[in-house]
């Protein structure tokens, strides 16, 4: 006759035996290689030296995608048929009179301030925001549906203004939007509703719509504002038959990471 203690010991021994027996035709899982562990745990560090001294507004995190919705401007600024004679004469300026304007302003600011060209000038319709990967498809679909009522329109720039980013580590020279504000404002309102569904920040309350085309490191707003009257003279001197600051807006771009989504207007 077994005692209670011996029965308990026998039960525990059988349980241990069952746990240590692997079913037939199966093998224990192999440990994850160290290289994979490093990939999943490694923190991505940005080197400002690789980006002309620029610093990210948001730290890089896996699964988070920096995003922005904007009006693309460069193609419409430089794809003018009447640029052909100018481009033939000034082959080093691939973007026509727009490059001439930028070069003249860069020369005006030197040597005190080193201004650099923005490769793809645009008019922002949102702040930079973060999307999680699994939000992307639904978010893009919602944006396209919301902006589906927008008709094509024209934008005209009416002067130069100075802007500094929220971190105060970059300063921009921009053309301010004159004609076309009503359509841009309507677009921003529609986009703000989409952003609110994902608890993302809306656009600025007192929005000043503009297209930045030159930038420099640091907060140089005061120094550039001292030069603003001279820069506006350069801007006005370039307004002629070969440099039109009215552009047609036929689409928006939703940029998520390195991927571009076209949002065509009616």
């Amino acid at each position: 006759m077994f005692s209670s203690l011996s029965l308990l010991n026998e039960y525990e021994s059988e349980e241990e035996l069952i746990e240590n027996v692997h079913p037939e035709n199966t093998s224990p899982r192999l440990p994850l290689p160290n290289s994979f562990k490093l990939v999943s745990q490694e923190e991505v560090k940005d080197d400002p030296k690789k980006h002309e001294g620029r610093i990210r507004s948001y730290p890089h995190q896996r699964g988070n995608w920096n995003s922005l919705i904007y009006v693309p401007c460069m193609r419409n600024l430089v794809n003018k048929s009447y640029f052909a004679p100018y481009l033939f004469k000034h082959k080093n300026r691939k973007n026509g009179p727009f490059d001439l304007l930028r070069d003249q302003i860069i020369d005006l600011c030197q040597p005190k301030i080193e201004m650099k060209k923005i490769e793809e000038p645009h008019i922002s319709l949102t702040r930079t925001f973060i999307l999680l990967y699994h939000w992307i498809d639904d978010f893009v679909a919602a944006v396209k549906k919301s902006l589906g009522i927008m008709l094509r329109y024209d934008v005209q720039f009416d002067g130069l203004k100075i802007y500094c980013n929220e971190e105060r580590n970059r300063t921009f020279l921009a053309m301010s939007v004159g004609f076309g504000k009503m359509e841009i404002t309507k677009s921003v309102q529609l986009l703000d509703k989409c952003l609110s569904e994902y608890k993302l920040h809306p656009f600025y309350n007192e929005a000043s719509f503009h297209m930045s085309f030159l930038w420099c490191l640091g907060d140089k707003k005061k120094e550039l504002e001292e030069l603003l009257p001279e820069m506006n003279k350069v801007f006005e001197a370039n307004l002629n038959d070969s440099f039109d600051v009215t552009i047609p807006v036929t689409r928006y771009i939703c940029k998520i990471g390195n991927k571009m989504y076209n949002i065509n207007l009616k």
Side-chain angles (χ1 to χ4, degrees), residues 2-265:
F2 295 104
S3 66
S4 299
L5 182 59
S6 62
L7 286 171
L8 181 59
N9 287 335
E10 184 179 348
Y11 174 80
E12 289 178 344
S13 299
E14 289 176 354
E15 190 177 56
E16 288 173 3
L17 180 62
I18 292 170
E19 287 181 348
N20 291 324
V21 172
H22 294 287
E24 193 174 354
N25 298 326
T26 62
S27 58
R29 291 183 180 179
L30 296 174
L32 189 67
N34 289 332
S35 59
F36 281 89
K37 292 179 181 178
L38 288 173
V39 169
S40 62
Q41 296 174 4
E42 182 182 5
E43 181 182 353
V44 178
K45 294 183 179 180
D46 291 306
D47 185 357
K49 293 179 181 178
K50 296 179 180 178
H51 306 284
E52 299 182 287
R54 291 173 290 183
I55 300 173
R56 277 180 178 268
S57 298
Y58 299 94
H60 180 89
Q61 293 182 355
R62 295 188 183 279
N64 289 0
W65 298 78
N66 276 15
S67 308
L68 179 70
I69 302 175
Y70 60 87
V71 180
C73 297
M74 192 61 165
R75 184 185 300 177
N76 290 326
L77 276 170
V78 303
N79 283 1
K80 308 281 189 181
S81 59
Y82 45 72
F83 280 2
Y86 179 94
L87 293 175
F88 181 79
K89 185 178 179 181
H90 303 276
K91 294 180 180 179
N92 61 322
R93 291 195 174 103
K94 63 179 181 179
N95 294 322
F98 181 57
D99 261 353
L100 173 61
L101 170 66
R102 295 199 290 186
D103 288 341
Q104 288 175 338
I105 292 177
I106 288 172
D107 290 342
L108 179 64
C109 294
Q110 289 180 343
K112 290 184 178 180
I113 305 171
E114 184 184 359
M115 301 297 290
K116 299 179 181 180
K117 296 178 182 180
I118 292 176
E119 292 183 7
E120 293 293 334
H122 60 267
I123 303 168
S124 295
L125 301 175
T126 66
R127 306 188 194 202
T128 300
F129 57 94
I130 298 294
L131 278 183
L132 299 180
Y133 178 76
H134 60 276
W135 290 353
I136 293 176
D137 289 343
D138 288 343
F139 179 81
V140 172
V143 166
K144 287 184 176 181
K145 181 179 179 181
S146 182
L147 293 174
I149 64 172
M150 292 299 301
L151 302 176
R152 299 181 179 191
Y153 59 96
D154 289 340
V155 160
Q156 187 174 58
F157 301 105
D158 61 5
L160 303 181
K161 284 189 178 181
I162 312 297
Y163 296 88
C164 198
N165 65 357
E166 293 181 71
E167 295 79 17
R168 316 300 293 183
N169 56 25
R170 293 176 71 198
T171 310
F172 302 86
L173 178 63
M175 295 183 192
S176 59
V177 173
F179 185 78
K181 283 182 182 177
M182 184 175 68
E183 290 83 357
I184 292 177
T185 300
K186 177 63 176 176
S187 299
V188 167
Q189 290 170 347
L190 293 170
L191 288 169
D192 280 350
K193 290 181 181 179
C194 292
L195 293 168
S196 68
E197 294 293 323
Y198 292 82
K199 294 182 170 55
L200 297 169
H201 291 298
F203 203 55
Y204 304 100
N205 289 330
E206 297 180 2
S208 175
F209 301 116
H210 61 276
M211 181 199 74
S212 297
F213 62 97
L214 292 173
W215 70 278
C216 66
L217 286 174
D219 183 353
K220 302 292 183 181
K221 189 172 183 180
K222 182 179 179 181
E223 293 90 328
L224 286 172
E225 283 182 341
E226 292 175 356
L227 294 171
L228 192 57
E230 289 299 316
M231 289 191 287
N232 266 315
K233 286 181 182 178
V234 172
F235 174 72
E236 291 168 6
N238 279 275
L239 294 180
N240 52 47
D241 292 338
S242 64
F243 183 46
D244 186 2
V245 289
T246 301
I247 63 169
V249 178
T250 61
R251 66 183 178 125
Y252 298 151
I253 288 179
C254 178
K255 182 179 180 182
I256 302 175
N258 292 323
K259 191 165 185 178
M260 309 284 194
Y261 297 86
N262 278 316
I263 303 169
N264 295 315
L265 306 185

